[in-house]
């Protein structure tokens, strides 16, 4: 089954990584090693990071973590541990494997956000890896009443179709499974049809002013075009990590914590300004 990528998913100026780019993902081994060394260093009393350098949340501010394509909640375990250490209350997306229709997943995540927001009495921050970041940004557009901020990690915001040939092959397999009647996997409509168009249109809509959004990207990304992971006029942070390593590399995790603190400080300043009396 030959299913070409629609032009709007990979516009001029972007291109899928070469097949050989996958070798960059071998860095995930050393990145995990740095995480282990970081943890060991903390346990023996050599504090690597000073948490007092960033604003600490009060009462466990809620953060929903959303995994990437073909990944599940388990892939964000180390990220969640670091966020909880920093004082955040983390929530899983309840996605065992992110292979379902994007719009269906977005609807499920929207209901998840409603539950968390109602339970915590506040809007929720989202940290999404790869496809999870695309879902997070779309939810911020759809429901800014539920989302206070989004951090995307290696998410091809500007060109979702600029991904490695291995991912393209995986999508073909999912479409074939869907055609064969297997439920709960992406169909042709989800990848190239009206569903894909609706998802992309929502993704490219402006993020509301009262929702903080920061995109993390890396030139070492071997899965998507690195330059598709940020917007020209948006808040972006370049990191030195592989695509998969963004959720385990200790240096990236510290930047995520610092960015969440910055988002929170910006939201507090905006609220204080709004509360000032007129005149």
């Amino acid at each position: 089954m030959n299913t070409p990528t629609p032009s709007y998913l990979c516009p001029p100026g972007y291109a899928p990584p070469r097949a050989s780019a996958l070798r960059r993902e071998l860095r995930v081994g050393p990145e995990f090693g740095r995480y282990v060394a970081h943890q060991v260093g903390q346990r023996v009393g050599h504090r690597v990071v000073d948490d007092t350098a960033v604003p600490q949340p009060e009462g466990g501010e809620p953060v929903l973590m959303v995994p990437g394509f073909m990944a599940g909640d388990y892939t964000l375990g180390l990220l969640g541990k670091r966020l909880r250490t920093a004082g955040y209350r983390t929530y899983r997306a309840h996605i065992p494997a992110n292979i379902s229709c994007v719009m269906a997943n977005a609807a499920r995540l929207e209901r998840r956000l409603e539950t968390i927001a109602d339970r915590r009495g506040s809007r929720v921050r989202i940290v999404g890896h790869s496809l999870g970041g695309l879902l997070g940004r779309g939810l911020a557009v759809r429901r800014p009443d539920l989302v206070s901020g989004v951090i995307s990690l290696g998410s091809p915001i500007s060109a979702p179709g600029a991904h490695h040939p291995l991912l393209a092959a995986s999508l073909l397999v999912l479409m074939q499974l869907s055609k064969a009647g297997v439920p709960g996997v992406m169909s042709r409509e989800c990848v190239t049809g009206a569903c894909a168009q609706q998802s992309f249109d929502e993704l490219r809509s402006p993020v509301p002013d009262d929702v903080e959004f920061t995109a993390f990207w890396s030139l070492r990304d071997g899965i998507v075009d690195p330059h598709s992971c940020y917007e020209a006029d948006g808040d972006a942070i370049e990191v030195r990590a592989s695509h998969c390593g963004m959720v385990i590399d200790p240096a990236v995790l510290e930047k995520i914590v610092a960015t969440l603190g910055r988002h929170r400080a910006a939201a507090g300043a905006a609220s204080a300004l709004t509360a000032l009396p007129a005149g």
Side-chain angles (χ1 to χ4, degrees):
M1 178 169 56
N2 183 21
T3 307
T5 300
S7 59
Y8 64 85
L9 292 180
C10 191
Y14 301 99
R18 297 177 182 272
S20 60
L22 196 61
R23 290 180 296 185
R24 300 174 193 163
E25 296 305 305
L26 295 176
R27 298 175 185 271
V28 73
E31 287 162 345
F32 180 72
R34 286 196 291 273
Y35 176 87
V36 172
H38 178 92
Q39 293 299 105
V40 171
Q42 288 189 330
R43 287 181 180 180
V44 298
H46 298 292
R47 186 70 176 174
V48 178
V49 177
D50 179 9
D51 283 335
T52 62
V54 296
Q56 297 298 296
E58 297 176 3
E61 189 175 14
V63 177
L64 175 65
M65 304 180 300
V66 188
F69 176 58
M70 298 192 73
D73 293 326
Y74 64 93
T75 62
L76 304 180
L78 300 182
L79 169 63
K81 181 178 180 180
R82 178 65 189 99
L83 295 183
R84 289 189 294 274
T85 299
Y88 294 94
R89 188 179 184 90
T90 61
Y91 292 86
R92 293 175 293 177
H94 291 170
I95 295 178
N98 203 343
I99 57 175
S100 301
C101 168
V102 173
M103 294 307 295
N105 259 351
R108 283 191 286 269
L109 287 171
E110 185 175 347
R111 293 192 292 271
R112 180 81 171 124
L113 284 169
E114 289 173 341
T115 299
I116 297 170
D118 182 64
R119 182 182 304 169
R120 303 302 300 173
S122 69
R123 294 194 297 168
V124 183
R125 301 195 183 281
I126 298 176
V127 178
H129 182 218
S130 197
L131 176 57
L134 302 185
L135 287 165
R137 192 188 185 287
L139 286 164
V141 171
R142 183 190 301 188
R143 295 296 304 273
D145 59 314
L146 296 175
V147 180
S148 58
V150 178
I151 294 177
S152 64
L153 308 171
S155 305
I157 301 161
S158 302
H163 50 239
H164 192 275
L166 182 62
L167 264 67
S170 300
L171 287 169
L172 286 175
V173 170
L174 292 177
M175 285 188 284
Q176 290 172 338
L177 290 173
S178 176
K179 188 176 180 180
V182 176
V185 297
M186 293 183 184
S187 67
R188 188 186 185 96
E189 278 292 294
C190 301
V191 179
T192 65
C195 182
Q197 179 72 65
Q198 180 183 352
S199 175
F200 182 75
D201 290 344
E202 191 171 83
L203 172 67
R204 296 308 302 142
S205 298
V207 175
D209 291 338
D210 64 341
V211 177
E212 301 291 331
F213 177 71
T214 300
F216 280 51
W217 67 284
S218 173
L219 287 173
R220 296 182 176 185
D221 198 314
I223 301 298
V224 300
D225 183 341
H227 301 291
S228 71
C229 297
Y230 59 87
E231 299 166 285
D233 57 348
D235 184 27
I237 295 177
E238 182 181 0
V239 296
R240 294 172 60 85
S242 65
H243 185 83
C244 296
M246 287 189 190
V247 294
I248 62 174
D249 188 283
V252 179
L253 299 187
E254 302 314 324
K255 288 182 183 293
I256 293 171
V257 170
T259 302
L260 285 170
R262 178 164 58 85
H263 282 188
R264 184 170 181 272
S271 297
L273 185 62
T274 302
L276 289 175

